[in-house]
């Protein structure tokens, strides 16, 4: 992911401040996006051990050179296998309580480590980086902005190809190709192109169905820059929009707009969800809005905070979250409208730039 060494030093310093509260004198990281966040290393396997005075990046032979280049402020140590690598890194006996990410360590690996280490040395931790990672710094926001801009440019090209007779999967492949051609490192997730009755499935996979006149087409897509993901959904209609479709589109758009108006530092995530949900419920479509209103985006496409009825998180300036209400009428069609926004003290800035007014292609 590159970036300034000072950024990583600041992240590590903020984490070290929490050691007394967490009751640990070291933390083992196994989750690769967390390792990337703390060190800059973008390989697909490794372990990061944070000690009070240094960070040790443990990798296998494939990644020694890459780790040295990407994470110059960490001590890079090569291991033959993960267990022996962790054992020798912790082997000195100075570490008394090593936290580890409970969600990222397999039961098998945990058992093997526990057998070999002193009883009570491994301390399971949950969401160690959730708070830190959910608030983005300037460099992270810049990458999210670039990713969103690439996706916008690609979508504007792909709209030109959307005609009756073209298969969903052709549109999806064109979208992926154009995002990559414009500089995206990969796609945020498999691009969704869902037409006609498929649009009623929130996570439809693009298939051989050919677009037809009058179809609703839900497109959910994202580009990646420096490991940071964009996420946006547009719902278009081909040729002509029926009265019922127009009515539902206005309801979803209204839910989206009201929720975005309410986004600001200090707002409760569950209140943002409630605002969007109430607009949809009042019009009688509550049972057809079957998912949360949004989620944080960053190194993971879905990360903290969650904007749902169950969330107890509060929005903070610097968070980047999606707002994505939808109505899905089984067997008929669906509408989802999603933007990615940067939370500010007194409101928010929309980072995904495609207009969400009803567009008839
Ligand atoms: Zn999405
Ligand atoms: Zn999303």
């Amino acid at each position: 992911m590159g970036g300034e060494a000072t950024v990583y030093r600041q992240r590590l310093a903020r984490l070290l401040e929490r050691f007394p509260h967490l009751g640990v004198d070291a933390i083992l990281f196994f989750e690769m996006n967390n390792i990337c966040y703390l060190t800059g290393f973008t390989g697909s396997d490794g372990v990061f051990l944070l000690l009070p005075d240094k960070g040790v990046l443990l990798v296998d032979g494939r990644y020694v050179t890459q780790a040295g280049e990407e994470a110059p402020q960490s001590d890079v140590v090569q291991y033959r296998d993960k267990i022996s690598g962790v054992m020798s890194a912790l082997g000195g006996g100075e570490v008394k309580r090593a936290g580890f990410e409970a969600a990222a360590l397999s039961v098998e690996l945990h058992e093997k480590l526990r057998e070999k280490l002193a009883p009570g040395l491994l301390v399971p931790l949950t969401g160690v980086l959730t708070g830190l990672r959910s608030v983005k710094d300037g460099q992270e926001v810049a990458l999210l902005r670039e990713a969103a801009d690439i996706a916008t440019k690609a979508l504007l090209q792909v709209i030109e190809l959307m005609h009756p007779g073209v298969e969903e999967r052709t549109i999806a492949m064109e979208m992926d190709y154009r995002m990559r051609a414009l500089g995206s490192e990969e796609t945020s997730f498999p691009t969704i192109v869902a037409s006609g009755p498929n649009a009623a499935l929130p996570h439809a996979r693009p298939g051989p169905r050919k677009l037809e006149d009058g179809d609703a087409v839900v497109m959910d897509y994202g580009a990646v820059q420096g490991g940071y993901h964009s996420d946006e959904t547009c719902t278009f209609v081909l040729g002509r929009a029926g009265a019922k479709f127009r009515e539902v589109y206005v309801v979803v758009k209204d839910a989206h707009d009201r929720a975005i108006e309410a986004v600001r530092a200090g707002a409760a995530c569950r209140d943002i969800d409630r605002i969007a949900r109430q607009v949809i419920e009042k019009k009688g479509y509550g049972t057809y809005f079957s998912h949360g209103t949004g989620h944080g985006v960053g190194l993971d496409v879905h990360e903290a905070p969650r904007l749902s009825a169950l969330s107890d998180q509060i929005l903070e300036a610097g968070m980047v979250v999606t707002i994505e209400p939808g109505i899905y009428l089984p067997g008929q069609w669906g509408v989802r409208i999603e933007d990615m926004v940067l939370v500010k003290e007194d409101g928010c800035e929309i980072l995904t730039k495609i207009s969400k007014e009803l567009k008839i292609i």
Side-chain angles (χ1 to χ4, degrees):
M1 139 181 161
E4 302 295 322
T6 48
V7 168
Y8 299 110
R9 270 198 287 275
Q10 281 167 4
R11 290 175 187 171
L12 296 180
R14 289 177 69 186
L15 197 51
L16 284 168
E17 284 169 16
R18 299 194 57 217
F19 271 26
H21 171 75
L22 295 169
V24 298
D25 51 9
I27 302 181
L28 284 162
F29 289 91
F30 294 89
E31 208 276 303
M32 292 316 296
N33 278 340
N34 282 345
I35 294 174
C36 178
Y37 181 79
L38 293 173
T39 70
F41 174 58
T42 63
S44 66
D45 201 15
V47 182
F48 180 62
L49 172 64
L50 180 60
L51 296 163
D53 57 341
K54 64 179 174 184
V56 184
L57 184 54
L58 305 159
V59 294
D60 65 50
R62 294 171 297 169
Y63 288 122
V64 174
T65 307
Q66 184 182 340
E69 285 170 4
E70 291 181 335
Q73 64 289 351
S74 300
D75 293 357
V76 176
V77 175
Q78 181 178 346
Y79 59 67
R80 252 194 328 218
D81 66 88
K82 219 173 248 183
I83 304 275
S84 62
V86 171
M87 290 300 299
S88 58
L90 287 175
E94 295 106 74
V95 176
K96 301 290 178 241
R97 287 173 63 80
F100 69 95
E101 301 173 281
L105 189 57
S106 71
V107 174
E108 186 183 6
L109 198 51
H110 179 242
E111 282 301 305
K112 284 184 179 163
L113 283 172
R114 216 168 49 104
E115 280 169 16
K116 293 194 162 73
L117 293 166
L121 191 139
L122 288 175
V123 181
L125 300 175
T126 303
V128 194
L129 288 183
T130 305
L132 279 185
R133 270 182 54 180
S134 62
V135 177
K136 272 66 182 175
D137 63 28
Q139 176 188 305
E140 294 177 291
V141 171
L143 291 168
L144 287 163
R145 213 184 277 281
E146 281 171 30
D149 287 348
I150 288 172
T152 296
K153 289 195 185 104
L155 187 84
L156 292 175
Q157 293 178 8
V158 168
I159 287 176
E160 304 296 322
L161 310 171
M162 293 173 72
H163 305 293
V166 180
E167 293 182 5
E168 289 173 348
R169 58 187 178 189
T170 305
I171 303 289
M173 283 188 287
E174 288 286 348
M175 187 64 194
D176 294 353
Y177 169 73
R178 284 154 203 265
M179 286 195 291
R180 294 294 300 269
L182 288 161
S184 182
E185 291 152 14
E186 52 186 321
T187 58
S188 286
F189 45 84
T191 299
I192 294 175
V193 179
S195 65
N198 294 341
L201 308 167
H203 277 142
R205 268 197 285 175
R209 185 180 184 280
K210 291 187 170 73
L211 306 192
E212 292 174 17
D213 195 39
D215 270 355
V217 184
V218 175
M219 279 196 69
D220 193 346
Y221 52 86
V224 182
Q225 277 297 280
Y228 285 78
H229 301 74
S230 76
D231 190 5
E232 180 172 27
T233 307
C234 295
T235 302
F236 304 115
V237 64
L238 249 62
R240 62 197 154 76
K244 176 86 179 255
F245 181 86
R246 286 177 188 275
E247 179 205 321
V248 168
Y249 194 93
V250 166
V251 176
V252 177
K253 175 75 165 47
D254 199 28
H256 162 274
D257 292 354
R258 294 285 91 73
I260 284 185
E261 281 164 22
V263 169
R264 68 192 61 235
C269 291
R270 78 161 78 88
D271 288 344
I272 305 297
D273 179 79
R274 186 176 45 76
I275 287 164
R277 205 163 294 282
Q278 276 179 350
V279 170
I280 291 174
E281 281 170 355
K282 268 189 196 144
K283 298 290 180 180
Y285 293 106
T287 52
Y288 304 109
F289 177 21
S290 49
H291 53 74
T293 294
H295 54 86
V297 211
L299 287 170
D300 284 304
V301 190
H302 296 101
E303 57 181 47
R306 300 275 163 176
L307 280 67
S308 79
L310 299 172
S311 175
D312 54 10
Q313 288 159 308
I314 304 294
L315 292 177
E316 292 177 50
M319 285 181 171
V320 175
V321 299
T322 67
I323 298 295
E324 50 179 304
I327 292 177
Y328 311 91
L329 303 176
Q332 300 181 54
W333 37 263
V335 174
R336 179 165 67 257
I337 301 174
E338 174 180 28
D339 274 317
M340 190 170 87
V341 306
L342 169 63
V343 181
K344 302 203 160 186
E345 287 299 340
D346 53 358
C348 70
E349 178 193 342
I350 300 176
L351 301 178
T352 37
K353 302 294 187 196
I354 300 284
S355 163
K356 299 304 184 294
E357 296 300 327
L358 176 58
K359 185 169 175 62
I360 300 172
I361 298 172

